[in-house]
Amino acid sequence: MSNSKGISRRNFMGKAAGTAAVTVLPSSILVHQAYGGMASAAGSQKVSLDDDIPQPEMALSQRYALDLSPARWIWFPAGRVLANSFYFFRRSLNSAKKIASVKGWILGDSRYVLYCNGQRVQFGPAPSDPRYTEADPVDLGPYLQEGENVIGVVAMYYGYGDGTWPTGKAGFICRLEVSYADGGTELVVSDSHWKTRVAKSWKPGMYKRWYLRSLQEVFDNREYPENWHLPGFVPDDGWQPARELSGSASGTALSTNMSDYMYDSGAPAVTQLRRRMIPLLKEYKIPAKGLAEYHWLQWDKDVLEYFDMVTLDAYKAIEIDSVVQREGEYWNGRLTGDNKGLVMTFEFDEQIVGFPYFSIEAPEGTMIELMVQQGHVPFGQGGPPLINHNFHSWARFICKEGKNEFMAFDYESLRWVQLHIHGSEGEIKVSRVGVLRRVYDYPEKPMLNTSDAKMQKLFNASFNTILNQSQDIVVDCMGRERQQYSGDIGHALHMIHRAFGDHLLPARYTNTYSHGLTIDGFFMDSWPAFDRLNRLGQRQLDMSKWGSIIDHGVGFNYDCWYHFLYSGKREDLEEVFPRLARFYKFLHTIKGDDGLLRVEDLGLTVVWMDHEGYKQQKHKICSFNLYVAAMLQDAFAPLCQAFGEPALRAHALDFSAQLVAEVKKKFWNAEDRMLYVNLPWYKEEKELRTCERSLSHYILSGFADEADLPFLGKELEEKPERHGRSYPANAQWGHWALAECGRMQAVLDDFRNLWYPMPSVQYNNAMQENWIATPDRTSQYSHVSVSPIYIAYMSIAGIRVLEPGAGKVQIRPQAGDLENFSILNYTARGAIGLSFSGKPGRRMYEIQLPEGVEADLILDEREKPNLPASDAKVFAGLKAWKLQGGKTWKQRLRFT
């Protein structure tokens, strides 16, 4: 597979994408502990928790370092850069010789769009820590022509913090190698030979859209220098030679002498320019499904004031029947100019992420506010006449006379696009409404099919959600903050590996997220983004309940472990692992006198765990401590072993065991055989409470005795009133634990009865954030709540990797009442295929293993497969057999 610009996703990385030898760890450490009880530190060096915690040396990796010398960082020659300001950069390539290729690297901080001879080439860069920004590869070959060639760049500087940009300085750098047909070469670099000017077509210094989105775009096409990026354009006096900044071509813009008057950011001691770790995203046009509705707005207050201030009672809606007429590709209408705005609402088939665009022929000065929404009820059916809401997701475009082609500079997450057209009088013609969709260039296509229509719809919605949420960064909701939250998105990372066969995006995620480690040792849980950086100050003044979420740092350890487990690439974590060790040391600083980690009064940090599962903050002590104990045992300890840190591994395992012991002492009721999250406060609260997260971690990490599993599983399945259920993005834990207890039917019933009817599934082909999603508000109809496909791979197919690089796996299929099911699970050694068909009691199963992969097949002990037995530990009633790689096993089973 190649990206839209013809660059092979496997070739652009060069040596950076090479596969190192797989480190195979003992399976006793790697097998998920549901069957074998807690991992033991026996045989390793014992370390008292009172001793100093061993700390691996932290060093900056040179693996992705990039030096673009002799290029210079450049910018417009000025002493101040306003927030949300745009600049043009232009360079002409004049040569009598035929150009064969132009390749190299480019970076514009904060964002850029690259053109060659007027054609859009790419948008970038991928969000990064400002100390370690990544330059993008460039291949202008498909856009070159005979004679003069022009490279044009629109570069914009956020200035204000954004969900994809925490801070930084303005700067542009570029290094291109021109190869001629006669074999000669020439370097073209960013320097004072480039011409630049302020792009006054965008209003400089425009205010923020909202807290986590910087750009409130206002674009005036009358100020746009037509054909500026085409050959033959003659720059006027507004174009000046670019200013060369101080700073190394191997460092980032943050270390230059560009003034950052907004934040007065100091230059860190070390910055490192890096090559892009992942392929360029693909872009392709998606036309709107059609015009869903249109109506008038009668403005009683100033329309521009409304969009600035959201003035109350500013307009009234008037339904109309005949103002808009369709003629071929055009929607024709007429503006009356009497304080009326024409509203046209377009819908798409599903939730998508990309750059909205449209064309309009209109009188000069006509204004269009383009608004986007995920869930909408048309005005004629009782919905609101405008889809503006408190995220202020609008962009304004101002027309020149005649035909105008508009596209939003930044990307959006949407299913609905609304155009509010006003400001002039006369005929208008709207056409070509669509979205330039952006998707990651995954190497494989998900293969997951079932004859169950409801389950298939859930699977499809989950896959589309992954496409929307996992692009150049992996986020929980692209429509709101567009930030990397480990605790939410960890489950999506499983699917990127397994369903899409990609290791590069998870490798980038683990690296970029780890850069958010603070001096105190905790992770800014949404890095790289503005949110938690801003919350540090708010927490000091007690102005926010949100701080850096410690449990997301816990989840990040899992993310790193699973990336290593699936890919086998320890080198991907060489820069990351010491930061995990530093976080482990931080965890000890929040230990209370009772031996448990505290969840209250933590200063700059907070413990979240879930929105909905708890009545009081102190009720999270049980689940949080089990989560940390599980992570230390199942993720951090095996990583310590992989990185040659036996003392640290032993320390972590001992601490894990102590946490579990204290939890059992405080929260376990032996008579009921149940974990109660408020058992210590039962007398004063006069009720007992359980929660999904506590029970799930207790089961999944083998902390529970096998004899207690029926009681714990029943609580998860029946969900009595006392049970605190997690919100959808955390639901995977409960579903996975139910499957561990052999209660797959309860999971399938939950999917059909609760998940399938979700409006996001029915209308957006996506998974919503909360159990209830309300249209025309801030409800997120596309969020990483991907439990259906998570369970499909982890529990229905039951495929788990046991050794880094997938040399050994476990397969425990659980079909429930599904009658037809097939799946491909991609691994570092090839795809594992599993399928079954038929009703319970007479299902035909087929499993295909690639060469070099061995499997423990776990079935009902009454089955009689013609296979050698395995000594793998299993629950009572189950038995394990061995499957060899490179073969296909097929058999009818009666009890599985």
Side-chain angles (χ1 to χ4, degrees), residues 70-72 74 91 189-195 241-244:
R72 301 290 302 271
I74 61 174
R91 180 70 153 82
V189 299
S190 51
D191 56 21
S192 59
H193 290 94
W194 287 66
K195 297 291 187 179
R243 173 192 175 194
E244 295 184 359

Side-chain angles (χ1 to χ4, degrees), residues 799 811 822-825 831-835 846-850:
I799 300 170
I811 303 177
S822 61
I823 198 169
L824 281 182
N825 186 120
I832 299 172
L834 181 144
S835 64
E846 181 174 319
I847 299 174
Q848 297 174 312
L849 286 183

Side-chain angles (χ1 to χ4, degrees), residues 157-168:
Y157 175 65
Y158 280 133
Y160 305 117
D162 184 83
T164 59
W165 188 84
T167 185

